[in-house]
């Protein structure tokens, strides 16, 4: 992947991760630089693993792709689908995230392109989608744990366990991004290591002919596409805490590139080992089947290791998602979109109110079933991505001269063409949703449409206090100097 930097009437094509060395220049010279806090920033390695957990967390959950479509289409899907969806989303995140390196991420992009009303809608839909997604992980953790502790399978013990686990992981987020980042690194290594061992042990058992099995008359396209989509989205989530990243104009694009390679490999090679080493039975390829494969390939010890890694993976995904959700609320508060109390930080530099608010949403939604959660969060996520694509194109058209430390080497027409395939995919995912999911999701969207004017009314009545943080530039300002940036 390449980037292009425009400056002094010359363009250079550089590898993704390189950057210009110019300092950000605010739009208005009299505007002071935004608040710089004393808290330690996130470096590239923890950021890679935070992105990994935002998007993936390992191969847990990809088994349904084989059950739905067979080995060949599953393997092809996890090689081809990233180019249709993941690469465009990661590239847009790199460009927009370095253009607006502040907390709030995609909310800020949409606000700059379409105004605060649609920026708020973006924030509402993506926050709700993230919280719905995060409600999965305590439940999935207990699903793996119940094999060892049967009492957490149901009843009051399970409910109490969800509450205790949510509280413990929420406290980790409260303690600071540095702890969260390095916890993600540790959990990532634990999650991937057993699959490396399983891959090595599977080599003598591999039969390449098993990879080529496909039955076009017996494919569950809805399950297949939803599995690919769910396992390869959320690349933009890391943008909501760009303000906490060390040197984001350099670190963010580089981390996105490394994470993209990491995620694709973490899916493809375990699938390659599992489908090639064991005779195919599509009915068995469901969530959790990798543990059974590990037992066949390596024995009981490897099975337990994979189950433990799956449990740890859910913890990593929870803390990464909550970081993204809570810092998104902080960024929205700093922009005056929601009450300023959401902008308050704890002594560890974390958005205390945002964390508590997001944790409450997780607890309220944890009663939903796995299928309902995945379908609902996919539906809301798709709406948010449409707004992001529109914002990306509009900013290319409205503000082509604004400095972009990372820039996709495509003009306006190329950018539009790049967004067409993922947009078509979004339409397919939306069309495949059940009537129940559509109704619930549209109700959620309607709440957001009404919530913004309601908050504005409360602001005018001075029931709630709103404010814009000092040093943030005017997103709607006209910029003509190609050495200027929308953010200091």
């Amino acid at each position: 992947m390449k980037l292009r930097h425009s400056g002094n009437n010359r363009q250079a094509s550089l590898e993704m991760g390189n950057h210009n060395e110019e300092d950000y220049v605010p739009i208005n010279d009299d505007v002071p630089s935004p608040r710089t806090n004393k808290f330690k920033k996130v470096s590239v390695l923890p950021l890679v693993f935070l992105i990994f957990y935002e998007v993936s967390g390992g191969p847990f959950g990809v088994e349904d792709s084989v059950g739905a479509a067979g080995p060949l289409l599953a393997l092809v899907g996890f090689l081809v689908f990233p180019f249709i969806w993941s690469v465009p989303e990661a590239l847009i995140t790199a460009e927009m995230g370095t253009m607006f390196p502040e907390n709030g991420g995609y909310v800020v992009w949409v606000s700059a392109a379409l105004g605060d009303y649609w920026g708020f809608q973006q924030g509402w839909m993506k926050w709700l989608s993230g919280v719905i997604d995060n409600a999965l992980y305590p439940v999935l953790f207990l699903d793996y744990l119940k094999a060892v502790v049967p009492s957490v399978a149901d009843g009051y013990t399970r409910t109490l366990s969800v509450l205790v686990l949510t509280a413990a992981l929420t406290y980790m987020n409260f303690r600071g991004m540095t702890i969260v980042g390095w916890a993600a690194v540790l959990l990532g290594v634990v999650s991937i290591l057993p699959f490396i061992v399983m891959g090595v042990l599977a080599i003598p058992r591999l039969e390449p002919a098993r990879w080529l099995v496909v039955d076009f008359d017996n494919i569950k396209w809805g399950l297949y596409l939803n599995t690919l989509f769910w396992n390869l989205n959320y690349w933009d989530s890391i943008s909501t805490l760009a303000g906490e990243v060390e040197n984001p104009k350099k670190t963010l694009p580089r981390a996105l590139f490394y994470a993209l390679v990491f995620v694709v490999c973490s899916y493809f090679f375990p699938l390659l080992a599992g489908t090639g080493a064991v005779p195919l039975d599509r009915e068995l390829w469901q969530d959790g089947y990798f543990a059974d494969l590990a037992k066949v390939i390596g024995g009981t010890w490897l099975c337990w290791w994979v189950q433990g890694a799956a449990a740890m993976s859910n913890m990593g995904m929870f803390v990464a998602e909550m970081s993204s959700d809570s810092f998104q609320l902080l960024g929205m508060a700093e922009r005056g979109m929601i009450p300023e109390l959401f902008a308050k930080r704890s002594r560890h530099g974390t958005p205390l109110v945002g964390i508590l608010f997001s944790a409450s949403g997780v607890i309220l939604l944890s009663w939903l079933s796995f299928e309902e959660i995945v379908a609902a969060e996919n539906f809301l996520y798709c709406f948010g991505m449409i707004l992001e694509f529109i914002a990306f194109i509009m900013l290319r058209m409205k503000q082509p001269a604004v400095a972009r430390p990372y820039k996709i080497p495509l003009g306006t027409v190329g950018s539009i063409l790049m967004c067409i395939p993922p947009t078509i995919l979004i339409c397919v995912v939306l069309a495949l949703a059940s009537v129940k999911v559509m109704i619930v999701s549209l109700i959620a969207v309607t709440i957001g449409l009404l919530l913004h004017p309601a908050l504005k009314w409360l602001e005018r009545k001075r029931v709630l206090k709103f404010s814009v943080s000092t040093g943030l530039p005017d997103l709607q300002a006209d910029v003509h100097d190609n050495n200027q940036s929308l953010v200091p």
Side-chain angles (χ1 to χ4, degrees), residues 265-280:
C265 291
S266 74
Y267 288 146
F268 184 75
F269 288 107
L271 278 175
L272 205 65
T275 55
V278 177
L280 176 66

Side-chain angles (χ1 to χ4, degrees), residues 47-57 81-82 84-94 105-106 109 122-137 225-241 252 255-257 259-260 263 267 316-326 328 362 365 370 372-386 388-389 422 425-426 429 441:
L47 192 63
V48 169
F49 279 87
L50 283 172
I51 297 170
F52 170 70
Y53 273 120
E54 291 279 8
V55 176
S56 169
F81 194 90
I84 298 173
W85 180 263
S86 300
V87 171
E89 188 181 6
L91 287 172
I92 291 172
T93 300
Y106 38 68
W109 316 342
Q122 172 76 352
W124 166 251
M125 286 185 286
K126 295 301 286 284
W127 177 82
L128 188 57
S129 171
V131 171
I132 291 172
D133 184 57
N134 223 13
L136 279 172
Y137 304 128
L225 291 174
N226 264 313
T227 301
L228 291 174
F229 187 75
W230 186 59
N231 282 286
L232 286 165
N233 60 18
Y234 278 88
W235 294 95
D236 59 336
S237 293
I238 201 65
S239 68
T240 64
L241 43 86
L252 186 59
L256 281 163
F257 173 71
L260 182 60
V263 167
Y267 288 146
M317 287 187 282
F318 184 98
V319 295
E321 182 66 56
M322 178 161 285
S323 294
S324 173
D325 295 342
S326 58
Q328 178 197 315
V362 168
L365 294 168
F370 179 86
E372 289 172 329
I373 288 175
V374 171
E377 65 99 359
N378 275 351
F379 201 90
L380 292 170
Y381 182 83
C382 286
F383 276 119
M385 285 309 304
I386 290 172
E388 283 183 38
F389 292 153
L425 178 64
I426 284 173
V429 171
S441 300

